[in-house]
Amino acid sequence: MIKRIKRYISTTVTPIDLVIQRHNASRLKIGWCSAFPPTLNGAASVTYHFLKKLMLYKDIDIYAIPLGGRIDKGLFDQIKFANLNSKYLDAVVFFCLGFSIESALKNTYSKKIAWQTAHGSIINDSYEKKIFLYLKKADSILALTKGTLSEYR
């Protein structure tokens, strides 16, 4: 039972994680909403490598907003945690959320930046087209594949 509790605490964002952090007013505060390790998919892997580099910048504070609250905290020793509705964030990056982006965008008060790589044509692929309709609700959109960028415009 103790092992299960320890594993849960080390891989899940708890209310305690949200309370025990300090906010530096002079730094840009960016929330990153995505899958995080231990989730085994490409978005979680890219999130790990990208955030490790971003956390090296001293003028940026990165706040993890993991899908489902799951994150291997041991991999991100200096990361802070936030909710989608945290008003102290300057912006939230929604990275490769797929259909989850619809509800995430509705619950965010800060600037919304959607980063979704399209894998197919939005004209011929109903799945991609539906995601792009949700993306239009973001303030900014990043990293579309070249082929679908012209279709999106």
Side-chain angles (χ1 to χ4, degrees):
M1 178 71 159
I2 299 291
K3 281 185 176 182
R4 288 180 70 197
I5 292 170
K6 283 183 178 180
R7 186 174 63 232
Y8 176 80
I9 290 172
S10 70
T11 62
T12 307
V13 178
T14 66
I16 294 169
D17 293 315
L18 299 171
V19 173
I20 62 171
Q21 56 197 359
R22 295 176 186 236
H23 308 293
N24 186 329
S26 66
R27 293 181 175 184
L28 182 63
K29 292 170 275 314
I30 299 174
W32 188 275
C33 181
S34 182
F36 282 76
T39 303
L40 300 175
N41 65 24
S45 178
V46 171
T47 289
Y48 169 79
H49 292 288
F50 199 83
L51 292 187
K52 280 297 199 180
K53 295 293 184 188
L54 267 182
M55 289 188 305
L56 296 175
Y57 290 90
K58 301 296 180 202
D59 54 348
I60 298 174
D61 280 336
I62 301 295
Y63 291 80
I65 307 171
L67 287 179
R70 297 208 17 106
I71 182 172
D72 185 342
K73 296 175 190 173
L75 296 176
F76 300 95
D77 55 346
Q78 305 217 357
I79 204 161
K80 297 177 180 184
F81 300 98
N83 289 319
L84 286 171
N85 60 359
S86 297
K87 294 182 180 179
Y88 52 82
L89 296 174
D90 297 308
V92 176
V93 176
F94 300 95
F95 182 70
C96 293
L97 295 187
F99 288 129
S100 299
I101 196 164
E102 180 184 22
S103 61
L105 287 171
K106 287 179 186 175
N107 296 314
T108 303
Y109 301 111
S110 59
K111 184 169 180 74
K112 302 166 186 78
I113 303 169
W115 186 341
Q116 180 74 37
T117 303
H119 300 287
S121 166
I122 65 170
I123 293 173
N124 301 322
D125 187 333
S126 62
Y127 177 82
E128 295 288 352
K129 187 173 188 170
K130 197 170 187 180
I131 291 173
F132 275 95
L133 292 175
Y134 299 141
L135 290 178
K136 288 184 177 187
K137 297 176 183 171
D139 297 311
S140 299
I141 300 170
L142 303 174
L144 302 170
T145 57
K146 187 175 181 181
T148 58
L149 182 58
S150 60
E151 293 177 22
Y152 179 69
R153 289 184 183 162

